[in-house]
Amino acid sequence: METQKAIATFAEHLQTLNYSARTIRGYRQDLELFAKINHAMNQEVRKLRRSNVESFLRYSTEANRSPSPGYRNRRLSCLRSFFSFLKDQTHISSKDDPTRKFKFARVPNSEPTPLSYSEYLAILASIKSTASTVLRSRNWAIIVTLYNTGLRLSELVGLNVDQIDFANSRILRLVRKGGKTVDLPINQNVCSCLSEWIDHSDASAVGDALFTTQRKTRISARMVERLVAKYAKLAGISRSITPHTFRHSYCTEIQKRGVGMYVAQELMNHSSIVTTRRYSHANEEAMRSAVESLDDPKQWPDAKKSLTKVRPISYWANFSDAA
């Protein structure tokens, strides 16, 4: 099978798995770049070799600058999925898979920086400067929904009006990453702002997009990214804020408020609990408080001394320094 046809067949396969259009487009762009730089678009895919993969992983549009480890890993992950599919379809054999001996690069661990609750409120306050009442209602609803549901951007823009079940406070038939369809509970913050927006938008028919532009077309992911960045800047937040920042914030906030990690994993639609655990650092203050609640001065070796000399608080700092 020629590489060009193999890429098209792989993209069709991803559609059957209910991957988002944006994700499929990303796969195709990476694979077409892989074929282009290796002059392999019309070449038999089984003839691709390790050197082709190496050239793709090293390729950069900027002179004297290699792709970051994360970017390299994304490319390798794409190629692995592509060749794994071809093996499953018996278009190539295992020995023809040029990615089989490649390993992912080590990526520095960087914790996500969520919005604080006060920053979220500041973003909502900045929306009041929007001139149009209708746009103010829509943008307010988008921000509240992002912060209170943890939806991915593709999930948000893909919502239809008839998926909102106000009577039972939930989003119906939500297709999540990996093709899983669920009914997602929502709170009254979301119900209230969505009800107001729907009244303004006059949308009611089955299949009508929930969030639309002034031209009554479905809002794009790019437009949501722009409005989020705009209102974050108006709110005085200097760091980069994206729709995904709200997803980080939601996961952090629900765990702060006592939601167990496995419940958070289900709400976030994380395939692995390891991903959810990245947000547990937000509970450090609560964990420290829980441990310190076990303090019993009677058990301390110097309990007979004045408590002012015992230093129960600085103990944690000293222990950390010693470690």
Side-chain angles (χ1 to χ4, degrees):
M1 178 184 285
E2 291 182 349
T3 304
Q4 186 173 17
K5 184 177 180 181
I7 293 172
T9 303
F10 178 60
E12 291 172 2
H13 169 67
L14 295 181
Q15 286 182 317
T16 66
L17 297 179
N18 291 319
Y19 277 60
S20 71
R22 189 178 187 183
T23 298
I24 295 173
R25 185 167 60 251
Y27 272 105
R28 287 200 71 143
Q29 288 173 344
D30 277 351
L31 291 172
E32 287 170 356
L33 177 61
F34 167 68
K36 180 180 178 181
I37 65 176
N38 286 295
H39 308 288
M41 194 64 85
N42 298 315
Q43 180 180 324
E44 285 292 316
V45 70
R46 60 184 175 81
K47 293 183 179 180
L48 291 165
R49 296 291 179 259
R50 180 182 176 87
S51 58
N52 299 121
V53 176
E54 288 176 339
S55 61
F56 178 57
L57 298 182
R58 292 197 308 265
Y59 177 78
S60 175
T61 56
E62 300 180 41
N64 302 318
R65 184 173 181 180
S66 299
S68 67
Y71 201 54
R72 178 192 181 279
N73 288 349
R74 194 196 81 174
R75 287 178 172 179
L76 179 56
S77 178
C78 174
L79 290 182
R80 279 189 169 182
S81 297
F82 176 58
F83 285 104
S84 177
F85 165 74
L86 294 178
K87 284 188 292 185
D88 290 341
Q89 300 298 309
T90 67
H91 294 301
I92 64 171
S93 64
S94 293
K95 67 181 180 62
D96 290 327
D97 180 359
T99 68
R100 65 186 184 279
K101 293 185 178 180
F102 282 88
K103 295 182 179 180
F104 289 107
R106 185 180 296 275
V107 179
N109 184 30
S110 57
E111 295 293 339
T113 303
L115 288 165
S116 66
Y117 190 67
S118 61
E119 287 175 326
Y120 162 63
L121 294 180
I123 290 174
L124 287 180
S126 71
I127 294 176
K128 293 181 179 180
S129 63
T130 305
S132 167
T133 301
V134 174
L135 287 183
R136 183 163 61 245
S137 174
R138 183 200 66 187
N139 297 345
W140 186 285
I142 286 173
I143 295 299
V144 170
T145 301
L146 284 172
Y147 189 82
N148 286 266
T149 65
L151 288 178
R152 295 179 176 87
L153 178 55
S154 59
E155 294 168 346
L156 178 90
V157 299
L159 288 175
N160 293 328
V161 173
D162 61 320
Q163 287 180 259
I164 310 303
D165 179 2
F166 290 105
N168 296 295
S169 302
R170 58 186 180 177
I171 297 173
L172 303 174
R173 307 179 304 281
L174 178 64
V175 180
R176 311 221 71 173
K177 187 176 181 180
K180 183 179 180 181
T181 302
V182 301
D183 290 348
L184 185 72
I186 54 178
N187 60 24
Q188 291 305 305
N189 293 339
V190 178
C191 287
S192 176
C193 66
L194 289 183
S195 177
E196 181 179 350
W197 160 240
I198 290 172
D199 287 344
H200 278 116
S201 67
D202 296 325
S204 59
V206 173
D208 277 356
L210 176 59
F211 294 115
T212 56
T213 66
Q214 288 177 296
R215 296 180 179 180
K216 302 299 182 182
T217 60
R218 185 181 297 274
I219 198 169
S220 69
R222 181 62 186 136
M223 184 175 288
V224 174
E225 290 173 338
R226 285 199 299 265
L227 73 87
V228 165
K230 169 187 174 183
Y231 290 118
K233 185 176 181 179
L234 288 174
I237 302 173
S238 57
R239 70 184 188 280
S240 175
I241 302 297
T242 69
H244 208 71
T245 307
F246 285 85
R247 183 166 162 81
H248 290 170
S249 306
Y250 170 76
C251 190
T252 299
E253 196 63 36
I254 59 176
Q255 289 189 73
K256 275 185 177 180
R257 299 185 185 219
V259 172
M261 196 171 295
Y262 287 99
V263 175
Q265 178 190 12
E266 187 70 20
L267 289 170
M268 292 292 290
N269 183 229
H270 285 151
S271 59
S272 170
I273 194 68
V274 174
T275 306
T276 312
R277 192 176 292 126
R278 292 179 64 201
Y279 305 90
S280 63
H281 68 88
N283 291 326
E284 181 181 349
E285 183 178 343
M287 289 190 292
R288 177 167 296 192
S289 177
V291 172
E292 288 183 348
S293 70
L294 297 175
D295 276 343
D296 182 359
K298 295 178 182 179
Q299 304 300 322
W300 296 343
D302 48 1
K304 295 181 180 180
K305 298 178 182 179
S306 169
L307 291 182
T308 59
K309 299 180 181 179
V310 175
R311 303 180 300 159
I313 301 301
S314 61
Y315 161 80
W316 290 100
N318 292 339
F319 180 84
S320 177
D321 291 342

